[in-house]
Every structure is written in C-alpha cells, then in structure tokens.
Amino acid sequence: MTFPGKPAKGPFVTRFRQRPRRTTAVVLLDLTTRSLTALRAAVRWPLPRRTLGAVVAATLAVLVGAATLAVVLLPGPPANTPSARQGAPEAAREATPHPGSPGIDAGAASPVSLAAPGPGPSSGTPTRPVVRPAPTPLPLAAQYATVDTALLSYGASVIITNPGPVPVSGWTLVVTLPGRTLTVSEVSGARASQSDAVWTFIPEPETRQVAAGGAVEVRFRVNGSLLSAAPTGCALDGRPCAVTPR
C-alpha cells in the first residue's frame, strides 16, 4: 500500500514504469505473431493436403487482415512535416495564374497600390477664421458753387461726395448768409431751417445715404440780395466746403 507523496516501490512497479508505450503497428504485429503461434501449436504435423491448404488460407487471412488494419488505423504524416511544407508552396505556385497567360486580366493580377493621403488640417489645433476689419468710412466732402444770378437773387448748388469705400448715412450742411433779411427758397435734396443769418440743411430720405464713391446734390435760391451777396460761410459736418469761383 502506498501513500500520496511517496514513490511506490517493488519490481512490478519498476517494470510497469519502464515499459515503453506500444504503437498501433506494434499491437497489430504482436497480435499476428500470437495468432500464428497459436495456430501452429494447434495443428499437428504432418497434415493432410486439405488441412494444409486450410491452414495456409487462414494464415494468409490473418496477414491480410493485419495489413488492412495497419493501413486503416495508422495515421498519415502530419500537416507540418517537411514534405507537406515543401509541397504547399509548389501547389500555390501552380494555382497562381501568370499575369501574361491568355484569358487573364493583367490589371486584375497586378497588386493594387494605395496612394498615401496628403497632409490634412491638424485635428488637434482648431483653425480660427480670419476676421478682416471692416473698412473705415471717410468724411464726406462738399463743393459749393453759384449756378445762376438775377437782379435780386441767385441760385446755389452744393455737391456732397463720398470718397470712402463704404456708404455714409446722414449729414448736415450749414450755410451762413451776409444778412438775416435774406431768405432761401426752391430747396431740393434737403430741408432748410433758419436761425438769424444761418441756414441749416438736413437730407431728404432719398439723399440721406451717400454711396461709396457716390454723390448727392442740394440746390436752393437766395432771395433779396444784390449780385455780391454771396454766403459768408459753408460747412458740411463741421468741415468747410470747397468753393468753386464764378
């Protein structure tokens, strides 16, 4: 009796451990040898001719059966043996069609090359839109001119221009006459109001906005003056007007 953790002792255990593992072929060969030995021991010599023929036939049957079992039961060579590994590339080369063979599309057999994508915007750094500053409007300019004269009146014209890149909305024109007795009439392009000798003109809706690079005109008539009673002052938004000589 043996206990766990202690090696068993004795001749039987030693022979059992040292006995090699028998394969299927060895088992079949042993079975055939034993069958022939038993058959030989059971037969008494000399034998009659018929009995001898039966013994030979039985012996052949045992040999054929053993060979058949050996063929059926013995496994074939593993797939990773050198012969299998050597035959696989040959079969693969035979199965692969040559690009130049008739009936084979050379474009389909050639490897497809994928172009590497070009550098794109970095996903880690957000791109900020470029904000350009809005154009700065420029001051409007005014050009005063006397357009016609009469015995006791004359006509005047003020051209208001916008030299800037953006439209300008709203303006104020101030004209100072030589006396408070002079009046203004026939105003177009603006509305006029009087304070002593100072006349203020503000735009009408159609002349309020001056387009970029554009111009509007204000016309009026000064009454009760002699030929020399020209305005003593003209300003647009506080800046003096340019005067066109007669």
Side-chain angles (χ1 to χ4, degrees):
M1 182 176 181
T2 59
F3 295 91
K6 294 183 179 181
K9 298 180 181 180
F12 175 76
V13 176
T14 303
R15 288 197 302 271
F16 179 77
R17 289 184 175 179
Q18 294 178 355
R19 185 177 181 181
R21 185 178 179 181
R22 301 196 304 172
T23 62
T24 305
V26 174
V27 173
L28 293 177
L29 182 60
D30 188 19
L31 179 61
T32 304
T33 305
R34 292 186 180 184
S35 299
L36 294 177
T37 303
L39 182 61
R40 180 179 180 183
V43 175
R44 296 181 179 180
W45 304 90
L47 296 177
R49 182 173 298 179
R50 293 183 178 180
T51 304
L52 182 59
V55 171
V56 173
T59 303
L60 292 177
V62 172
L63 294 176
V64 171
T68 303
L69 289 176
V71 172
V72 173
L73 297 179
L74 287 178
N80 58 351
T81 57
S83 60
R85 291 196 300 265
Q86 292 176 3
E90 295 295 334
R93 284 195 295 268
E94 292 178 0
T96 303
H98 195 274
S101 302
I104 302 298
D105 187 4
S110 60
V112 179
S113 61
L114 299 178
S122 175
S123 59
T125 304
T127 57
R128 297 182 179 180
V130 178
V131 179
R132 297 181 179 179
T136 303
L138 297 180
L140 300 177
Q143 183 78 32
Y144 173 87
T146 300
V147 293
D148 67 82
T149 58
L151 181 60
L152 297 175
S153 66
Y154 65 89
S157 171
V158 180
I159 304 297
I160 301 173
T161 59
N162 179 13
V166 293
V168 176
S169 181
W171 46 267
T172 301
L173 175 65
V174 177
V175 176
T176 303
L177 298 178
R180 66 176 60 183
T181 59
L182 301 177
T183 60
V184 173
S185 63
E186 301 179 13
V187 181
S188 64
R191 289 177 294 177
S193 60
Q194 180 185 12
S195 176
D196 291 335
V198 178
W199 291 79
T200 303
F201 300 85
I202 58 176
E204 294 282 1
E206 60 272 13
T207 58
R208 179 175 179 81
Q209 178 171 295
V210 184
V216 295
E217 182 182 13
V218 177
R219 279 180 174 266
F220 57 91
R221 191 164 196 87
V222 179
N223 302 305
S225 65
L226 297 177
L227 297 179
S228 60
T232 57
C234 177
L236 178 67
D237 295 333
R239 288 177 292 277
C241 304
V243 178
T244 301
R246 286 190 274 177

